[in-house]
Structures are given as structure tokens and as C-alpha cells.
Amino acid sequence: MAQQRTIKGTAVAPGLALGAAHIVRATPNVVPTWTVPGEEIERESARLQEAVDLATDELRRRQRLVAAQSGEKDAEIFSFHRHLLNDPTTLKKLQASIRDQRVNAEACVQQLIERFKRTLSDLEGDNVRAYAADFSDPWRLVLDLLMRHEHDTIASGSGKVVLAAAELTPQVATYLERDRILAIVTETGGRFSHGAVLARSFGIPCVIGLPNLIARLEQGMRVCVDGDRGLLQLRPEQDDVDQFLQRLARRQARHKALALHAALPSETPDGQRLLVMANIESVRDLDTFDVTHTDGVGLLRTEFLYMERNQFPSEDEQYRLYCQVLRRMEGRPMALRTLDIGNDKQLPYFKIPKESNPALGWRGLRISLQWPDLLRVQLRAALRASAQGQLRILLPMVSSVEEVQEVHRIFDDVRRQLQEQGYEVAPQIPVGAMLEVPSSVLVLEQLLKEVDFVSVGTNDLVQYLLAADRDNAWVAKLYDPTHPAVLWALGHIARCARAAGKPSSVCGEMAGDYATALMLLGMGYDAVSVAPNLLNEIKYAVRRTPGTEAVEIAREAQAETTGEGVRRVLQQVRERLHARQVDHNLQEAALNENGLEIDDSSKKRE
Ligand code: PEP
Ligand code: MG
């Protein structure tokens, strides 16, 4: 790739893509800020004017409607709003902000609203404040229109695009239908943020940490995205495109070759099983892989079902969804994680008060226990669906034994109530804890007496163990799943679970790397649960590695005293496996695509 047109970032979801970029200027609920290059200032001002004109038309429409329904007097407010919008001084000020600060129209309108808010809070008297609130109202409409317009335009099309955004958020990952997103590239975001989790789960190649991305792109510019190596190439030449297409073809050949092994059990040549399960976020995810090639769903992140809506789903709606997933699993287990909102996973209709440290705040099980009605409705729906398959309940963000005891009380009560009402409920529904909070690992021996299984959520456990935010690019180097402290915790959990005779699994993103999955098998884990597009790769690695070798990998990795040492051990595992591959398609692609390239991205974090 020609150097000057290639930007290096961090790979967060593998895969290659070639296509036209679509810049996501705005995502719902988030007012984005981006730099507007000098030559685009005029276009940005015109965009603002267009939104003001649209808002003016909309206000006129509302005025007519209200006048017809309840009279001219009530409709006057809209005429006042139109005057405010078209006040030349305010417009001039906004245009000057775009020009002088070189930021987008949304950011300038937001600043204006903030200014109104500040002035407003200084005023005395409720009536005066209410009157002042009217000043910002029409500008909120402009902001809404600025943010919605772009989305509506692209959403009504049908072409596939590479989405480019300032930040990788769950909203960006779900901005368009999945089939229309070729890849995602962003300026910021965390490798283990929920946006990244979604991109991996959807199988969308993704690169983050691309400096000045938005300023360097143009709407519709052709780009190549390399989600294996974390590269973005702008306006590729024909030679680059040809090379890229060759790599793509090799990659596809590898996937085809891996698929040939996919129906076989995930078992080592000496007969050790590592169950390979899928992480899913919706019923739609089940269309992206063959469930008969998995050992079940190890993690259904139910909050995404809640996020796609405008209000809490009713018990019946949840019941129908859970029934669908259970039926589609054809008797394989499905671990339904109870609502895990909070931090970066917000519901538009459930406002969590602003927290200065949301990762340590009101989230996951804490919300469910404080608002037990939410949990009760979800459990009722899940338990009613339990007759359709092998349901398991998984509790997020458990930090103490008491929390699990409290859930058991609610669970038993819900079960009793349902049975009294004549519903059929499966006799055995295992309840498990996610191990994500260090305190749950420290009291694990006690906790294991209260649960039927445990699943390690390393995405959160790593951030809490290492005090490094999973979403914060500035501490991305410190957020290291190969840190010896993380390996110590993982080893401890596997030993405790074995001793207690309770199954253990890892459902955080790190388990999606096949060398790490082998290490986990060697530590004594029974299962991993990963993004669906990684299932075959892991299965294939398990089928080619004796269990005794996995134990050796775990021993070597745990003996290392630095993250770098652990990464070296895992890299050697990859190289050994590649050398062992006999299938030409697998070998060639593996050498070119996987081995060194995975290492590349981990080196970048050092
Ligand atoms: C985790 O924390 O590892 C996990 C699987 O949960 P989530 O990524 O949804 O927080
Ligand atoms: Mg988590």
C-alpha cells in the first residue's frame, strides 16, 4: 500500500473490505464534534442553513396544525420560534463559530443550546425560566434535523458502504442494516468497547484509532479496510485493489476450508472437549452461523433487544423472542444474560442519572436488584420460555454472594407464581454468575456454592483488575488481557470451579483468539463463548492440539511475568499450528493472514 494514503490504526474486528466511505456525521443521542477542513466551511454553513430552513417549514406546519385544532392563540408560539430561528444575529454567530472554530454545525448548535441553558439556570423564578426554555427549543429541532437528515438519506438507499465515524459506539455498529456495512473505521473507541464487540459479533471488519480520519475522508471516497492489520487505504490504485482482491480470495478459501471441519466436535486428538459456544445479541444473529456446528449460545446479551426499541419490551414480547432463540437452538443450551445496561449501554427510554464514574456506577445486576420489577418481568418471560429448550440464566456484574442470594429469592418467587398461574416451567434452570468484578473472583469459593456455573466476562474483568477503562483509547496500552494478573485470575477461577465441580467458561472477547482458547482449555475451562465468525477457527485449533499440549501452553503462559512474555507464548502457539496445517488453503492463508498479522496488532498496544 502506498504509504501517504495509508493510515495506521488499531485492528478490532478482522476482515477485509473495499468500497465507498460513508461518513456518519451523527449518531442518535450523541452530538458529535468533528473538524471541518477549510475548503468545506462553506458547505458546512450551507448544511446549517438547510437545517434551519427545514426547521422553519416544520414549525410552520405545526403552527397550522395547532391553529386548526385549538386556535390561533395556542399556535402563536410556533411563529415566535420561527422568528428566533431566523434571527440574523444568531445565525451569523453560528456561522462565525463554524468558520473560526472549524467545527461542524451540530457542535455549534449544541454550544448555543448550552449557552441558553447556562443563562436560563441563572434566572430567578420558574415562569421566567420556562419562558427562557422556549429560546432553545427551536434550536433543538435544528439539531435533530441535522442529525437525522444524513441518517435518513443513507438508510433509505440500498448500497453497501464503509462507515466512518468519529467514535466507535454501539449506535455506529447498528447505524445501517448489517448487510449494508462493509466495514467500520473510526477515530476513537476501545478495542473492547461495546461498539467493537458488536462489530466482531456481526463479522464487520473494523479499524479504530485512525488519526484525523473524518478530515481526511470525503463522502463516497473509495477505501480499502484491512481489519486484520488495522490499516485504511484512501483512494487505492488499481494495483492495490488487485492485491487486495487476491488476499480477499485467499481469505474466503480459508473460511471455506475451515467450514469443512465445522461439523466435527470440538475435541482434541486425545479426547478432551472444549465446548465452543456463540455470543449473540439478537435472534437475527442466529442467521449468521450454523447452530448445529456449535455447542450452544454461551451468552445472549439481552440488553441489545431492549436497545432496539422505544420502550421496555413487555413480558409477552420478551417471551416470544426467548422462545424463538431456544427453538432455533434445537436442544442446545442457551445462556440468557439478564439486562446489563449502564455505562456505555444506555436505553433511550430509561435515563440513568449522570455519573462521574459510570463503569463503577449503576449498571448490570445492580439496576436489576434496585428495580426488581424489571428483573421479574425478564425472568417471567424467560421461565415461561424455558419449556422450549435448555435455558440457563446468567447474571452480569455480580460483586457479592448476597446479590446472587437475592436473585435466587426473586427467581424462586417468580417460578412459584408462574406455576400457580398454570405455566409450564422447566424443572432445571441453571443459574450462573458472570465473573467480571474482582470481588466476585476473590469470594469465588463461597459464590460457587450459590451458582450452577460461572462465565468469565474478561472484557470487564480486565478493566477492573487493571484499572484501565475498556473504552478509553488513552489507556488502551494498559488494557492488556495478557497481563499476568489477568492470567492469575483466570487460572484461579478454573481451579476453584473444577474443585467445586461446576462448569466454567470464558465469554469475553479474548477467548475469540484460538491460541488463547487453547490456553484456557489447558487451564481447565470447559467452554469458551465467542463471536460466531470465530467459532470454526477455534474448533479447528482444538482438533489439532492434544490436550496435554494445551496444559503445557497454559503452564508456559502462566509462568511468564509480563504481558509481552505471554503474547510471545501465544504467538509461538499460532506458528506451531500453522506449521502443522496440511490443507493447502488453510496453510497458505494462515501464513499470510493470521500469524504475524495478529501479532502486529498486539505489538501496537505495547
Ligand atoms: C464481558 O464483560 O466480558 C462481557 C462478556 O460482557 P460485555 O462485553 O457485554 O460487558
Ligand atoms: Mg461485561
Side-chain angles (χ1 to χ4, degrees), residues 368-414:
S368 299
L369 289 179
Q370 204 159 330
W371 288 55
D373 285 351
L374 282 180
L375 181 63
R376 277 177 183 277
V377 171
Q378 189 168 30
L379 286 178
R380 274 184 66 89
L383 266 60
R384 279 173 58 196
S386 65
Q388 307 288 330
Q390 266 206 63
L391 174 71
R392 295 174 182 174
I393 300 289
L394 188 53
L395 308 172
M397 290 290 295
V398 170
S399 54
S400 71
V401 171
E402 296 95 294
E403 284 173 343
V404 178
Q405 289 168 337
E406 180 61 24
V407 172
H408 278 308
R409 275 192 286 277
I410 297 173
F411 186 95
D412 292 345
D413 198 41
V414 167

